[in-house]
Structures are given as structure tokens and as C-alpha cells.
Amino acid sequence: MIMTSLALVTAAIFTGAAAYINWSEQPARLTLDDNSLLKEWKFSYAKGSEMQASLAVVSGLLGLAAFYLENRPMAAVGGILMLANWPYTFLAVVPTNRLLGAIADGGAGPRPLILKWGKLHAGRTLLGFAALCAFMYALVAA
């Protein structure tokens, strides 16, 4: 039960951080002028990606370990959902990240891309929430 519990905790941290970005940080940054908006996004994304990427991997691997060691199939579902953040990010989010990263400070209009990024980031939040639900079910159904 410890692996499933740890997977749940790390998924909750991931999902909470992702939701915070969608519900608080993104709306707040959108109140800034374009130059400040881009600077804030670049700094925030660089810091946040380190934490979120690590949490997705740790939670995903813990979920798979819970399936293997604790015989919890729903933990495997949660683990796969957490690990799905990686291909989703590389295929859907990274192209927008690269475009934003290529805009020089003071460059033209990052706002439409940052709005798009926010919608894409919501996909990560949903993956985390779905994994969180799977891990909770894996604990309850035991």
C-alpha cells in the first residue's frame, strides 16, 4: 500500500502545482504588458518544468511499481497517465515553448502564444487529475 500511497501523494503535488498555474499564475501573468509577460513566462516555465517533469516521472514509476509489487491494476492506470505527461508535453506543448523561447525580450506579441500555452498546459493538469483519481481508486478498491 505504500507505493500506491506515494504515487498518490506525488500525483497530488503535480496536479496541485499544475492547477495553480492554470487558475492563478497564468491569469495573473496575462495582466502584464507583453514584455513583462514574456519575461515572467520564460522564468516561470524554466523553474516549473524541472519540478513538474520530475514529479510526473516519480509518480508514474511509483504507480507502475504499485501495480507490480502491490497488485493494484488501477495504480498502473495512474502511472501510465502520469507518464503520459512526457509525450503530451513533447508533442503538444514543446512546439509552442520553442516559439515563445525564440521571441527576444521586447519582441513582438507573445500574448497569443502564451494564451495557447495556457490551454495546452491545462491538458497536463487534466492528466494529473485523472491519474490522481486512478490512484485514489486503487487505494479504496483494495
Side-chain angles (χ1 to χ4, degrees), residues 24-44:
S24 296
E25 188 173 316
Q26 179 77 347
R29 81 168 51 110
L30 290 170
T31 66
L32 301 171
D33 64 272
D34 281 1
N35 189 40
S36 299
L37 172 66
L38 182 61
K39 283 183 181 180
E40 194 284 335
W41 180 87
K42 285 180 178 180
F43 179 77
S44 175

Side-chain angles (χ1 to χ4, degrees), residues 12-74:
I13 295 168
F14 174 94
T15 305
Y20 170 81
I21 291 166
N22 284 117
W23 290 325
S24 296
E25 188 173 316
Q26 179 77 347
R29 81 168 51 110
L30 290 170
T31 66
L32 301 171
D33 64 272
D34 281 1
N35 189 40
S36 299
L37 172 66
L38 182 61
K39 283 183 181 180
E40 194 284 335
W41 180 87
K42 285 180 178 180
F43 179 77
S44 175
Y45 186 77
K47 292 296 182 185
S49 65
E50 296 169 4
M51 176 193 62
Q52 290 231 278
S54 300
L55 284 168
V57 168
V58 169
S59 183
L61 294 177
L62 285 167
L64 295 177
F67 167 66
Y68 181 74
L69 299 172
E70 300 171 353
N71 195 28
R72 296 179 189 265
M74 284 305 289

Side-chain angles (χ1 to χ4, degrees), residues 45 83-98 116 120 124:
Y45 186 77
L83 292 172
N85 276 285
W86 277 77
Y88 173 77
T89 298
F90 284 114
L91 295 172
V93 184
V94 166
T96 301
N97 293 350
R98 288 192 176 132
K116 179 181 179 181
L120 293 169
R124 290 192 285 223

